[in-house]
């Protein structure tokens, strides 16, 4: 093969990070701050903070379809549409065109993607909870999947480190089930929620807290240094925050990495495969396809971090074939692409609340109340394994209560200008067990427009999830009843598939044994140690808490290890 | 109850207001709407457009604050039906609208028009309850087949009421006349509601 030496030199960095989202951003920040030159490769278009948040300051009447999705957009975003009104004119430009980026569903999989700078960190729910000690131990204790190669104590300092940088508003509760972190001031619970909290403690001994959310309730010096300001309580985070008040890769990690002047970013560039050197037995770089011109280019580095999002990271490993790795890089165990987990949701209850009619709220809380897991915890024992948490909250009804209410005319119109009664709703986020039969793989025949094999999903909820869902609905109704709420309605959306939680994970799991896992305790590919996977693919179990803060903690820990190992010339 | 029964009931309620030609036309409208929806894009005739405007104004009339027509709700409804709704909803909207046309809605006086809308409201309520039950029954992931069946569109009354409220209460004049509009709250606080305090809009 002809090699242009000069081009190779220009295309060589200390580290390559594939993906610019939640973990790619954090990897780039950590590696550059520790002195490495980093090339970050993003497959999608470039978004600049904050000037590309086109809709951020629009008033309601300036949004043509007022939050609804046009039929045209719904067709282009056929997978996104399953989540709901995500791809409307407020936030739609932060979601991927599914028609141009199709995937194959052997069994239905709701794959919600975000191909642009910042990835899904642009519109995540921002809920930030640590895994607890049991989350790391349950697999081994119950004989499910494989054991995590790390424990809570290994990650705890990195949680603190990430929480500080990101800025998490939350209340310390001293609970084993939901370990406290390093928090900014908590947002308030509303009057009926405080009543609910009291009742749950009295009747069930179940704690209720306000959500732990990555919005700056009180920015610290290191936040303002990056241009981030306090939350304005507009709750329009999905549009991109012009104040940088909620954490995204774009408002936090990437600006921090840019301060080092060691970050180079490449956009519209799809990493098609990892280049493996058979002699040196390590990865040397990546092969990249420009998504517009389809031109192919190679880039080289001493270490490579894969942060493309769990499904794309696994696809990239599977597509990186060599003599040594004929089934895909790091796939000796045949576990790459398997054990897809997520959090199952779309199940819970709603109710109306009598009274509290002189209680109201100024501002919009970009946050929820949180009910930590109480199932299979302490003395509770269920027929299914693991548990779930609830997220939701109370609010006073607005004008839209008129849609389903009787009446029309002048008095009806006048009445809708006043706050309506309080209502409450919360839905569960349930743990999904790892199951090797839940998998994605590359189609042997069909390729996308860039010639890369298409991803096939073959996964579904198992008996444990289905049993848990029934309890999630019933327990929510029971709690609302115990709080004295009325018109209680449970729901358990039957059309929910794996993926809809947008917490897809597990496709290159960490473990102790190379025969049953893909990554070691520091997120290195077992037999190709200069490749690190620190996005959701690395997860060995899913817990029931929102995972991003855990992914970032794993990333910071792995980056620290990688740089130390580089300095010791171990990589 | 089928559509023709609905029209007959409306006719009875209005004291047999249907002419013979109208009753004859009833035999054809179903086919007509079917053909329309399957063929061309969603569009309204000028009399249908007038009916939509009159209904919107009955839902949110001009009082000491602007009415639906003042803030452009009728055109908004048509645009939304065209741009944002699937064929099922476009069809149910047209079916409902044709049904109203059959009542000679524009020839009725205000109290008769309100009577028609009240009747529609009650009909719609029953249908919405049935839909709700279907959606909230215990899902074991085994009623996927049920879901795949071509869904019936939301009823006309539900659609026009929602779009009237949405168009009005998100319009600049509608928001500012109805609510205390706060673009940037800047803080989050539990407060006590003052007597006659309007709701906040953000």
């Amino acid at each position: 093969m002809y090699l242009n030496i000069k081009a190779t030199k220009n295309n060589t960095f200390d580290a390559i990070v594939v993906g610019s989202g939640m973990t790619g951003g954090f990897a780039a920040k950590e590696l550059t701050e520790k002195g490495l030159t980093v090339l970050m490769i993003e497959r999608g278009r470039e978004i600049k903070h904050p000037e590309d948040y086109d809709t951020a300051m629009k008033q309601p009447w300036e949004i043509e379809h007022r939050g609804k999705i046009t039929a045209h957009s719904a067709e282009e975003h056929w997978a996104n549409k399953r989540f709901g009104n995500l791809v409307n004119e407020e936030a739609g430009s932060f979601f991927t065109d599914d028609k141009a980026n199709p995937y194959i569903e052997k069994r239905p999989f709701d794959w919600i993607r975000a191909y642009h700078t910042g990835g899904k960190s642009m519109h995540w729910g921002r809920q930030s909870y640590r895994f607890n000690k049991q989350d790391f131990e349950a697999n081994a204790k119950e004989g499910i999947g494989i054991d995590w190669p790390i424990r809570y104590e290994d990650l705890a300092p990195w949680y603190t480190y990430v929480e500080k940088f990101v800025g998490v508003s939350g209340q310390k509760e001293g609970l084993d089930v939901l370990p406290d972190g390093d928090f900014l001031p908590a947002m308030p619970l509303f009057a009926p929620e405080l009543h609910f909290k009291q009742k749950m403690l009295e009747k069930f001994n179940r704690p209720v807290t306000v959500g732990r959310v990555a919005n700056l309730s009180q920015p610290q010096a290191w936040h303002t240094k990056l241009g981030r300001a306090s939350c304005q309580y507009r709750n329009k985070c999905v549009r991109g925050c012009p104040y940088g008040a909620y954490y995204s890769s774009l408002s936090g990690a990437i600006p921090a990495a840019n301060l080092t002047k060691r970050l180079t970013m490449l956009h519209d560039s799809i990493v098609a495969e990892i280049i493996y050197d058979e002699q040196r037995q390590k990865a040397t770089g990546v092969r990249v396809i420009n998504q517009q011109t389809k031109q192919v280019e190679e880039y080289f580095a001493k270490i490579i971090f894969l942060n493309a999002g769990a499904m794309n990271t696994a696809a990239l490993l599977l597509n990186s074939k060599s003599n040594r790795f004929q089934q895909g890089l790091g796939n000796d165990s045949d576990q790459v692409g398997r054990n897809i987990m997520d959090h199952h949701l779309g199940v819970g209850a709603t109710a109306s609340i009598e009274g509290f009619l002189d209680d109201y709220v100024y501002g919009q809380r970009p946050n929820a109340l949180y009910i930590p897991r109480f199932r299979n915890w302490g003395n509770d024992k269920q027929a299914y394994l693991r548990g779930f948490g609830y997220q939701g909250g109370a609010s006073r009804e607005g004008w839209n209560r008129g849609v389903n209410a009787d009446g029309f005319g002048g008095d009806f119109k006048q009445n809708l200008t006043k706050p309506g009664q309080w209502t409450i709703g919360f839905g569960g986020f349930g743990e999904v067990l790892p199951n090797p039969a839940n998998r994605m793989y590359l189609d042997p025949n069909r390729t996308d427009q860039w010639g890369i094999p298409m991803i096939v999903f073959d996964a579904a909820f198992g008996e444990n999830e289905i049993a848990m869902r029934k309890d999630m609905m019933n327990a929510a109704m029971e709690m609302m009843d115990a709080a004295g709420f009325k018109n209680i309605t449970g729901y358990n959306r039957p059309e929910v598939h794996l993926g809809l939680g947008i917490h897809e994970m597990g496709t290159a799991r960490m473990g102790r044994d190379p025969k049953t896992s893909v990554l070691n305790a520091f997120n290195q590919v077992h037999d190709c140690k200069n490749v690190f996977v620190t996005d959701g693919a690395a997860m060995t179990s899913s817990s029931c808490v929102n995972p991003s803060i855990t992914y970032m903690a794993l990333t910071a820990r792995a980056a620290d290890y990688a740089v130390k190992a580089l300095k010791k010339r171990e990589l | 109850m089928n559509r023709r029964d609905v029209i007959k009931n409306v006719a009875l309620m209005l004291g047999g207001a249907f002419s013979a030609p109208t009753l004859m036309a009833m035999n054809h409208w179903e086919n007509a709407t079917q053909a329309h929806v399957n063929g061309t894009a969603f569009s309204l005739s000028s009399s249908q457009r007038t009916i939509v405007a009159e209904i919107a104004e009955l839902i949110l009339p001009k009082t000491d604050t602007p009415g639906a027509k003042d803030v452009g709700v009728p055109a908004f409804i048509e645009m939304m039906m065209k741009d944002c709704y699937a064929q099922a909803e476009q069809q149910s909207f047209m079916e409902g609208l044709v049904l109203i046309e059959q009542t000679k809605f524009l020839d009725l006086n205000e109290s008769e028009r309100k009577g028609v809308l009240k009747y529609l409201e009650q009909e719609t309520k029953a249908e919405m309850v049935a839909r709700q039950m279907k959606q909230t029954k215990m899902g074991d992931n085994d009623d996927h087949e049920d879901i795949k069946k071509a869904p019936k569109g939301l009823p006309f009354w539900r659609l026009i009421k929602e779009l009237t409220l949405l168009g009005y209460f998100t319009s600049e004049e509608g928001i500012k006349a109805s609510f205390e509009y706060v673009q940037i709250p800047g803080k989050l606080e539990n407060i006590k509601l003052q007597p006659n305090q309007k709701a906040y809009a953000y």
Side-chain angles (χ1 to χ4, degrees), chain A residues 43-45 72-81 87 92-103 111-116 291 449-450:
Chain A
R43 69 175 290 155
R45 72 190 171 102
H72 174 71
S73 177
E75 192 186 318
E76 278 187 348
H77 300 85
W78 53 263
N80 283 281
K81 183 70 178 65
V87 285
S93 63
F94 296 149
F95 292 90
T96 299
D97 180 340
D98 300 307
K99 219 173 164 183
N101 297 275
Y103 61 90
W111 198 21
I112 315 296
R113 291 165 291 172
Y115 293 166
H116 47 246
Q291 74 157 344
Q449 54 173 308
W450 301 280

Side-chain angles (χ1 to χ4, degrees), chain A residues 56 84 119 161 173 204 239 377 402:
Chain A
Y161 177 78
E173 300 283 1
F204 301 106
R239 301 177 177 186
W377 192 268

